Amino acid sequence: MKKLFTVVLFLPLIIIAANNEKVVTLKKINTQIKIDGMIDEAWNQVDETGNFFQLQPFFGKEPSKRTYAKVLSTETALYCLIVCYDEIHNIQQSTGKLDDFGGDVVSIMLDTFGDKQTAYKFAVSASGVRADCRLLDDARNRDYSWDGIWFSDSKIYDWGFVVEIEIPYKSIQYNETLNSWGLDFDRWVPSISEDQYWCEYEQNEGQRISKFGRLQFEDFRPSLKGLNLEFYPTAFGKVTYLGSNKYKVDPDAGIDIFYNPSPQLTLQATANPDFAQIEADPFQFSISRYEVFVSERRPFFIQGNEIFKPSGKQRSSGFYTPLELFYSRRIGKILPDGSQLPITFGTKAFGRYEDWEYGGFVARTPLQNYIDDSVKYSEDAAIFYSGRVKKQILGNSTMGVLFVGKQTANNTYGVIDIDGAFRGSDWQLAYQVARSVQNSSGDFAGSAGFVQFGGSWVNLIRARYVGKNFDINQVGFVPWKGTFTFLGLSGPIWYPKEGIISQILLYGGPSLNYEKADQFTDYGFLFGFNMQFRSNWGFEINYSVSKSKDLNVKYDSHELNLSSWFNIDPKWSANASGSFARTYNFRRDYLAFFGDLSLSLSWKAADILQVGTSFYMGIEGNPDNNIEDIIYNARPWLSITPVNDLNFYLYVDNIFLRSTDQMERIFIGGLFSYQFSPKSWIYFALNEAHHRNDSTRTLDLADRVSVFKVKYLYYL
């Protein structure tokens, strides 16, 4: 489903003229609308909003399927009706769960603060599955961790399908003084890869919140009702295998609280949170000298976390990767003995005031003793905290300050940062300057990026500097101390109006990479080619060559990368990438070739059944140009969704080494999840790990953990 949200970044779009802005007037009614996918009489009180625009596959042409939308309001909620015409055999009707589904989809998007930078997106499939997210940075980024309390239903007819949506005003944040909100609608037709929007955008830009239409208020403005207080009591039990057929049972409970004292302020707190890992982190293999980044997966840290993100963060395009100054995996981390450091409590606050956004975070971890290689150690009790202020400037640009810290009895760690982004509709300049704090020492670091997608030319520049004493490993993820990198790319781009090709891009430019550890600046050149097709697939190939030095070894570095993505049929999708390089292997401490291949594949075998796998192969060469070893990692999986929002998920993760000709690790996992009410879930997970025993040459059971969890929303 996330690919469905991000696909617009690569679609051809056109701009909406300021004097041709689309407007819908919101009408308030006093009767309740039943959300059932049937068109009630109440909908006859307002006109339909049509004239949708085709973005894909043929930009600017009349949509092949008719779509219209309507909006209404009561005192407490906004209602949306979207009617989609199509032949019934073309409509994809697969089951799914929240934020994870495919098929025909429609959505409504609302800029409720009028800042032209952020918006809510509510999406519903033809089979009634929901998804929601926050659009950020003028729709350049998405925050899928946001989950709202809203309601919807759909109904399929012989002539098409209907979706109805109810969005309670007390479940979203908004500016009560506005006379209008930004508005857009979207429809995705997978059978013909057609994407329709109500608003129109530039072909070279992508969707822009700053070019939304308007939802106009006349005699009525939304007002907040209710206490706006959410309680999530959580009961969970954990059963851990201790060996010798012995198990440890740990029943426990916790609570999460959300409170919105106003439409522009949210308070969040957690006590004794459950951070049980219900799925193992994906396998990652690296020959670099630097630590591998692991994404955050715990709900408390990712929900409502957009305020702590740097301005202009845009990993999807690759133009700018800011420093991860707040790396929440450091909080409640895994200790060397395999145990997880508990978190006593945590709390967040975030909100807005006029053009300002602000947020704060505090969490505490207790003193924890552990044993590593028969030696006793202690992890000191600590307080983690963060504060953030961000202001909208110059129309659609932002500037902010962030502080992240960790305090123990004897040490103070932290980092302070100034970041921002200047934006036009087809360009963005983002920057970040930071200073580390470690008791009385510290150093500077910074990152910046510029990207411009013109109508016929693309320009990209990015640079990053990290001082040799910039150490924030206690709170952030910046392992590249004493380095400077630079990359500049430029090239022509074409958008053919006819034929099977939708986009062609050529690019090239210089690169620099200085590492103090080597006292040398690598310098080289990179060039590449990208092609995308109207049938919803594409590929990219690039090649780089440079003069390099690692650990006193100077050499000519070469690297070839190829990636491709396939979504030409609604029932299956695939992504493949591979690379081959002559580079330094820090894992083995020599210069040699290295190659890898990654593949992910998903097939919708039935409306309720989806199967797939990921696969990785890393090939390590040696100085004699022979293969030293090959690492294989596969993760086949099976997902069954008999009804919406109820899912059974099974997977097997394994590692095989060519050098030993045997399996080194097998991890088996299963998860049952059921969302029985908005933001209320039942989970049951079972994970089992088997590791190679070198003495017996067998795969022995190393760990077995089962977790049962119930989370229920009380909404006042």
Side-chain angles (χ1 to χ4, degrees), residues 375-441:
V375 179
K376 293 183 178 180
Y377 295 93
S378 293
E379 182 75 22
D380 291 337
I383 297 289
F384 295 85
Y385 46 90
S386 178
R388 172 72 160 162
V389 177
K390 185 166 62 174
K391 189 181 189 305
Q392 185 173 348
I393 61 174
L394 302 176
N396 198 30
S397 300
T398 55
M399 182 176 181
V401 177
L402 171 70
F403 179 76
V404 185
K406 175 184 178 182
Q407 184 70 54
T408 66
N410 301 310
N411 295 288
T412 299
Y413 310 95
V415 61
I416 188 168
D417 138 276
I418 298 175
D419 61 80
F422 297 99
R423 301 187 184 96
S425 59
D426 66 348
W427 63 271
Q428 181 176 198
L429 170 63
Y431 64 90
Q432 181 185 51
V433 180
R435 167 77 180 185
S436 65
V437 176
Q438 187 166 338
N439 295 326
S440 60
S441 64

Side-chain angles (χ1 to χ4, degrees), residues 599-621:
L599 173 70
S600 63
L601 177 67
S602 175
W603 175 47
K604 195 75 174 179
D607 285 344
I608 66 170
L609 173 64
Q610 191 168 5
V611 296
T613 188
S614 62
F615 174 79
Y616 173 82
M617 179 175 67
I619 306 172
E620 294 182 283

Side-chain angles (χ1 to χ4, degrees), residues 39 46 103 130 156 169 172 174 207 223 233 239 284 316 336 388 397 474 492 520 544 547 635 638 653 662 676 714:
I39 305 176
V46 293
R130 301 180 309 124
I156 297 174
Y169 290 124
I172 59 176
Y174 55 88
Q207 185 186 25
S223 60
V239 180
Q284 297 186 69
S316 58
R388 172 72 160 162
S397 300
Q474 295 293 324
F520 188 80
S544 62
K547 294 287 186 179
R635 194 181 182 110
L638 168 74
D653 192 300
Q662 59 187 7
F676 57 91
Y714 287 96

